[in-house]
Amino acid sequence: MESGVDERTYRQRIRAWILYDWAESAFVTTIVAAVLPVYYSQVAGATLPSAARATQAFSLTTSIALGIAAILSPLLGAYSDISAAKKRLLTIFMAIGVTATGLMVLIGEGDWVLASALFIIGRVGFSSANVFYDALLPHVARPADQDRVSAQGYAFGYLGGGLLLAVNVAMILTLPEDNLGTRLSFLTVAVWWAVFSVPILRRVPEPPPTGTAGEGSGLRATLQQVREMIRDLTRFDDLRRFLISYLIYNDGINVVIGVAAIYGAELGFASTDLILAILLVQFAGMPYSLAFGQLPNRTGRRNARITAFIVLNIVLLPVVGLGGRLLLPDDVTGARPAPFEGDATATGQGEADLDARGVTLDGDWSRRAVAAGLLDADEDAELAVTASGAFQVEYVGADIELRYVEGPEFGVFGVEVDGRVVMDGDEPLRVDASRDTDRYGEHVDIEVEEAGRHTLRVFPVGDPGEAGGGEALGVMSVEVLPPARAASLPTILGLILALQVVIALLAFLLGPTVFLRWADALDTKRSIQLSLTAYAVIGVWGFLLDTVIEFWTLAWLVSVVQGGSQALSRSLYATLVPDSRSGEFFGLFSILSKAASFISPLLFVVAVAIWDSSRPAVLALSMVFFIGIGLLRRVDVAAGRATAEAADAAAAGGTS
C-alpha cells in the first residue's frame, strides 16, 4: 500500500474495494448457482434429447470456462504486475463479464449454444477480474487491516448476492410468461455488477509496476515472469506450504458448498428446505464473516466475547440438532417416515411387477432411446412404451412421478387416480408431450392426499387428427415416491434463533474469563484452523444427520465458518506474497481456489460406487480438513512474510 495516504482517502478506498465483492457476488448466486443452471436445462436446452443431456452440456460449458480462466489467470496476473495494469485489466474483464451477462436476456427456448457461449465469456470475465480484485488487497489495506477488510468483502458479498437473488426469485415467480422474470434477472445481474463496480474504478489507484518492467511488458516478459514465479515457489517455502494446505482444505470446502443441496435431496429433504437453507447460509454468513475478521491480531474482552460466540456455536449447534432429533416430535424435526409396503401390477400395453419403488413399461420407444445413445441396451429399468390408448397401474403408496417421452408422434395426455381426474389448480391436468424433436426423461409429479392402494390411469386427450392430439403415450416409468417428511420450519428456525440469543448471553458472561487467553492467542492461521475444525465436525455430523432440524442447524454452522475460512485464507495469502508480485501470485491463487477440486469429489464417486450412498464420503471429508489443519501448522507466517518483504526490497532496488 502506498505511504502517506490520509485516513479519509484510506477509508474511501477500503469501502470501494469491499463494494466490488457486493457487486460481483450477484453473478455467483444468480448466474452460477441458482437461476441459469435450471433455465439452461429446462428452456435453453429444451431442444436437446433429455434434461440429462442439457445438464451434461452445461457441465461441459462450466469446465471449458474454468479451464480458460485457469490458463489465463497466471499470465494476466504476471502481465498486470510488470505493466501496472491491475485496475485497467479489472475494468476490461469486468466489462466483458457484464456485457455477456446482460446479453443473456436474449436466451430463449432451444438457445443452448448461445447460452453456453455467453456463460463461458461471462465466467472468464468474472474469474479474470477477480484475480485483479484479490491482487489489489495488499495495495489497498495495511497489513494489520487485511484480515478485517478481506472478511468484510466476503460478508458484503454474501449480503449483496443474497439480496439480488431474493429479488430475482420474486421476479421469476411473478413474471412467468415467456420466462420474462428469469431473463430479466440476468439483466439485473449485469446492471448490479456494473453500477457497484464504479467506486473501485474511481477510488482505488493503480499500483506501480514491479522492477521487471524494464525488460518490457509484452508476452515475452509475461511468460518470463510466470516462469520465475514457478521457480521461486521453491524459495518461498512457507508460501508453498500454505498453498499445499489450502489446496487440500479448500477442496473440501468447495465440495461442502457444491454437494450440500444434492446430498440433501439424496436424503429425501424437500426442495423448499434445500432452497431456503441456501438462502439462510447466504444471509447468515454476513455477520459471522465480519466476526471472523475481528479474531486475528486483536486482544481484550471484546475479542474474547466474539471468540466465545463462534466457539459456542461450533459446539452447541450440533448438540441442539441432535437433541432435537431425539426429543422433539417427528412432525417437527422432519424425521424420515416409514416406507410404504405392498406391491401392485401394471396393465395395458405393457405389463410389469410394481413394488414400492416403481414400474417400468417396455416397448418400441426403448429401441429409439438406445439408438439415440440415451439408454444402454441392457438397461431394463429405463425402457419406454408407446401405448395406443390408455393404460393403468395399481400401486401402494401416495405421490408418484410419471416419466415420459416428448416427440412429434405424441400428444396431450391426462391422468386419473382412483377414477378421479387429477387437477392442476382449477383445471384438469393436461400434459402436452408433442414437440418437433425427441426429448426423453421429462416428468410430472402427481400428488395423492392419502397413502394406500391406488389405481393410476393415463389416457390420451384430444383429436388424433389435430396438432397435439395424438393418442401415442411415450411413458417411460411410474415411480412411487417415498413418504414425504413433515417438518415445522418456523419451529426449527425459532429454535436456532433462540439458541443464538442464549449463546450471545453466554459469550458475554463467560468470554472475558473462560476465553480470554485463547482469544489473545488467535492469529490469522489459528483462526483458519478453528474454522477447519468446525468443518471437520460438519463432516462427522453430515454422516449422521437424518432429519430436517439437523440439516438446518448444520447449514447454520456452515454459515458460521464459510466466509471466515475463505476470507482469512485470502488475507493470509496476501501476507505471504510479495506486494510487488501480487498479480501473478493471486493468479495462481485463483486457479487453486476455483478449479482445484479433485480429491473430495473422488471420495463421493468411490463411496456411491461401493455403498450406493454419499454418507461415507461426507464422513471422509473430516479427514480432508484434519490433513489441512496439520499441514497449515507447518506454515511459519512470520518467516514467510519476511521472505516476501525481502523480495519486495530486491524489486525496489532493481528500479532505483
Side-chain angles (χ1 to χ4, degrees):
M1 183 196 153
E2 73 180 82
S3 59
V5 177
D6 63 86
E7 284 301 315
R8 182 172 179 272
T9 301
Y10 178 67
R11 288 193 298 271
Q12 287 176 340
R13 293 178 182 178
I14 292 295
R15 286 195 293 268
W17 187 88
I18 290 170
L19 202 57
Y20 184 77
D21 218 324
W22 168 288
E24 68 166 3
S25 292
F27 182 87
V28 177
T29 54
T30 297
I31 304 299
V32 176
V35 179
L36 181 62
V38 177
Y39 187 77
Y40 189 102
S41 176
Q42 297 179 352
V43 180
T47 54
L48 293 171
S50 68
R53 282 291 178 87
T55 301
Q56 183 184 52
F58 188 74
S59 298
L60 178 61
T61 297
T62 302
S63 298
I64 292 173
L66 290 176
I68 294 173
I71 294 172
L72 289 178
S73 291
L75 295 173
L76 292 172
Y79 177 79
S80 73
D81 284 336
I82 63 178
S83 303
K86 290 183 179 64
K87 203 176 78 168
R88 176 157 50 91
L89 289 170
L90 169 64
T91 305
I92 292 172
F93 282 98
M94 181 274 294
I96 291 173
V98 165
T99 302
T101 304
L103 290 175
M104 289 180 184
V105 73
L106 303 176
I107 300 173
E109 183 173 341
D111 294 335
W112 63 274
V113 175
L114 175 63
S116 294
L118 291 176
F119 181 73
I120 289 173
I121 296 171
R123 187 66 188 264
V124 170
F126 167 82
S127 298
S128 299
N130 208 53
V131 172
F132 311 115
Y133 170 64
D134 287 344
L136 286 172
L137 175 60
H139 301 281
V140 169
R142 298 167 184 146
D145 294 335
Q146 287 177 9
D147 291 331
R148 175 180 57 83
V149 173
S150 181
Q152 287 176 341
Y154 269 97
F156 280 90
Y158 277 126
L159 182 60
L163 284 175
L164 188 61
L165 177 60
V167 171
N168 287 336
V169 169
M171 288 173 50
I172 292 168
L173 294 176
T174 55
L175 299 172
E177 188 174 351
D178 196 28
N179 300 297
L180 179 61
T182 302
R183 292 186 290 110
L184 287 178
S185 72
F186 302 147
L187 186 60
T188 64
V189 171
V191 174
W192 182 283
W193 189 0
V195 169
F196 290 109
S197 296
V198 172
I200 196 173
L201 304 182
R202 291 185 58 192
R203 300 290 186 184
V204 176
E206 183 72 67
T210 65
T212 54
E215 301 173 8
S217 58
L219 178 61
R220 183 175 181 180
T222 300
L223 293 175
Q224 176 64 27
Q225 191 82 345
V226 172
R227 285 194 294 268
E228 290 180 5
M229 178 191 67
I230 296 173
R231 185 181 66 247
D232 285 350
L233 282 177
T234 60
R235 183 161 59 92
F236 293 93
D237 293 334
D238 292 288
L239 175 61
R240 186 180 68 254
R241 294 188 187 104
F242 172 77
L243 284 173
I244 295 173
S245 172
Y246 178 78
L247 174 66
I248 293 174
Y249 74 70
N250 193 63
D251 174 60
I253 293 174
N254 286 337
V255 169
V256 170
I257 297 171
V259 308
I262 298 173
Y263 184 59
E266 178 184 333
L267 297 180
F269 299 133
S271 57
T272 302
D273 295 331
L274 302 177
I275 294 171
L276 291 177
I278 292 173
L279 287 174
L280 165 74
V281 173
Q282 196 71 29
F283 287 109
M286 179 187 182
Y288 292 108
S289 297
L290 294 174
F292 256 94
Q294 298 293 322
L295 292 183
N297 307 315
R298 282 170 174 78
T299 59
R301 298 167 65 87
R302 180 174 179 270
N303 201 49
R305 290 187 174 111
I306 295 174
T307 303
F309 185 73
I310 291 175
V311 172
L312 288 172
N313 264 287
I314 295 172
V315 173
L316 294 181
L317 278 168
V319 172
V320 169
L322 294 170
R325 170 180 175 176
L326 297 174
L327 300 176
L328 296 177
D330 289 352
D331 59 353
V332 172
T333 64
R336 186 191 299 271
F340 297 125
E341 296 180 358
D343 55 23
T345 58
T347 59
Q349 286 293 109
E351 293 187 2
D353 292 332
L354 176 68
D355 58 21
R357 294 190 61 185
V359 63
T360 297
L361 307 168
D362 63 43
D364 294 340
W365 271 96
S366 62
R367 290 189 289 275
R368 293 183 63 172
V370 170
L374 294 169
L375 303 175
D376 294 331
D378 59 350
E379 200 169 348
D380 294 334
E382 294 291 346
L383 302 181
V385 60
T386 301
S388 179
F391 75 90
Q392 69 181 34
V393 175
E394 294 182 359
Y395 71 94
V396 175
D399 299 346
I400 56 176
E401 179 187 80
L402 179 66
R403 298 180 67 221
Y404 60 93
V405 181
E406 293 180 345
E409 300 176 18
F410 299 108
V412 180
F413 64 83
V415 181
E416 291 180 354
V417 175
D418 299 333
R420 293 188 295 272
V421 175
V422 175
M423 304 296 289
D424 181 14
D426 296 331
E427 301 292 332
L429 174 66
R430 295 292 182 259
V431 180
D432 188 355
S434 61
R435 58 182 293 137
D436 294 334
T437 58
D438 294 340
R439 186 174 175 90
Y440 301 80
E442 296 299 287
H443 70 88
V444 59
D445 292 340
I446 310 298
E447 295 185 1
V448 180
E449 291 184 359
E450 296 183 1
R453 180 176 291 275
H454 300 285
T455 299
L456 169 74
R457 181 173 178 267
V458 182
F459 55 91
V461 177
D463 185 349
E466 297 178 358
E471 290 189 345
L473 301 177
V475 179
M476 297 182 68
S477 66
V478 176
E479 180 178 359
V480 181
L481 299 177
R485 297 173 183 264
S488 174
L489 293 185
T491 301
I492 293 172
L493 186 57
L495 186 62
I496 295 175
L497 294 176
L499 176 64
Q500 296 305 299
V501 173
V502 172
I503 290 176
L505 181 61
L506 290 174
F508 182 82
L509 296 174
L510 301 179
T513 55
V514 178
F515 292 88
L516 182 59
R517 180 176 298 180
W518 192 11
D520 288 348
L522 278 179
D523 54 14
T524 307
K525 186 177 77 171
R526 292 191 183 98
S527 298
I528 296 173
Q529 290 173 318
L530 175 62
S531 70
L532 298 182
T533 302
Y535 270 115
V537 171
I538 289 168
V540 176
W541 187 11
F543 172 74
L544 298 172
L545 78 84
D546 199 29
T547 59
V548 174
I549 189 173
E550 292 174 280
F551 188 78
W552 272 69
T553 45
L554 182 142
W556 195 284
L557 181 55
V558 170
S559 72
V560 170
V561 297
Q562 181 172 296
S565 62
Q566 294 175 311
L568 295 182
S569 295
R570 177 170 62 184
S571 60
L572 179 58
Y573 186 74
T575 300
L576 297 173
V577 302
D579 292 351
S580 58
R581 301 173 65 180
S582 61
E584 59 182 298
F585 277 107
F586 268 102
L588 177 62
F589 188 74
S590 177
I591 296 174
L592 294 178
S593 62
K594 291 182 174 62
S597 291
F598 57 90
I599 301 173
S600 299
L602 182 62
L603 294 176
F604 278 82
V605 172
V606 173
V608 173
I610 297 176
W611 293 287
D612 195 28
S613 172
S614 298
R615 285 188 184 272
V618 172
L619 179 62
L621 282 178
S622 296
M623 293 304 301
V624 172
F625 293 119
F626 282 127
I627 292 172
I629 292 171
L631 293 174
L632 194 58
R633 290 184 61 186
R634 300 180 60 218
V635 178
D636 187 332
V637 178
R641 184 57 196 164
T643 302
E645 289 174 348
D648 282 332
T655 59
S656 59

